[in-house]
Amino acid sequence: MEEAGVDVEHVLFDDVHPTASILIIVDEDGDRYLVPWPKLGGANDFLLPHDLPDSLLPKVGWVHFCGDILKIDPTGETLCDFARRCHLAGITVSLDLNLRIESSGWNDAFAEKIRRVMEVSTVIFGSLKDEFPFFAPHPRDLVTENRMVVARDGKNGCTLYTSDGEYSVGIYDLKVADTVGAGDCFNSGFIAAAVSGLPPEECLAWGNACGNYSVQHEGGHSCPDRATLLRFLEEKGVPKI
């Protein structure tokens, strides 16, 4: 990570709890099923408030949260509070609902923590059919003047809902190897465009292209770099619905 230019000052080491792993089973259509181990008690469950001090905030420009990590405390409460502190400090907060109910389950306490992070989020990503219905009749109901919502709908493409309008893109005609990491690649493309100052419709195009690029490759490590992304968009354009 250091060789790639990543600041590792705040990377934590835990000598007591095991690093959590996820066994990913990919079927013949490229869809994936997740089996976490250990289901409870991994090091990721034990993030504490002092691990995210206020001194960290001036170094943060954008903070992105994954919904699934919020379920287990103390990590869940620690991250909910960190999201609140970032919001108060003027830091952009985004959330991928990523509920993973099939492996993590669902309860009121989990839902309440998701809602707390949603309240301070500028961008919310999620599945149109599998995740947003837990929180609103339609994703556009979660839009505010300061919050946009991205609803992904698999083979039907995706739509960005903002207070100024809606933007939709379709999927590319590509052979799917597997869908592992495609949502994370989508988010990274969208966020990269946003921090580059691009308009919302281009953020959606970048995210969609990154997600589609990823599914052509096996494994969860196939997000394009900027040059590859721009070449992909130039060659294939932006598919319409």
Side-chain angles (χ1 to χ4, degrees), residues 49-128:
H50 65 73
D51 296 323
L52 298 171
D54 285 341
S55 59
L56 181 64
L57 298 182
K59 303 178 182 180
V60 180
W62 184 306
V63 61
H64 179 70
F65 293 85
C66 169
D68 179 62
I69 196 67
L70 300 175
K71 183 177 184 183
I72 305 300
D73 292 327
T75 292
E77 282 297 329
T78 296
L79 290 178
C80 283
D81 181 66
F82 187 61
R84 177 189 62 83
R85 287 189 285 138
C86 286
H87 175 69
L88 292 175
I91 297 166
T92 299
V93 175
S94 60
L95 168 69
D96 187 339
L97 295 178
N98 201 18
L99 302 179
R100 294 186 183 174
I101 293 174
E102 71 282 0
S103 60
S104 299
W106 181 249
N107 56 54
D108 290 343
F110 183 24
E112 188 268 339
K113 281 180 279 193
I114 293 284
R115 290 190 179 95
R116 284 162 62 188
V117 178
M118 289 173 67
E119 281 298 311
V120 297
S121 293
T122 298
V123 187
I124 300 174
F125 304 91
S127 167
L128 175 66

Side-chain angles (χ1 to χ4, degrees), residues 128 138-143 147-151 158-169 190 200-202 204 240-241:
L128 175 66
H138 194 277
R140 68 170 63 91
D141 298 327
L142 299 172
V143 173
R147 181 191 305 133
M148 61 184 72
V149 175
V150 180
C158 55
T159 299
L160 170 63
Y161 300 93
T162 77
S163 58
D164 295 325
E166 302 176 5
Y167 312 91
S168 295
V169 294
F190 187 101
E201 60 270 30
E202 290 192 48
L204 184 66
K240 305 299 182 182
I241 293 180

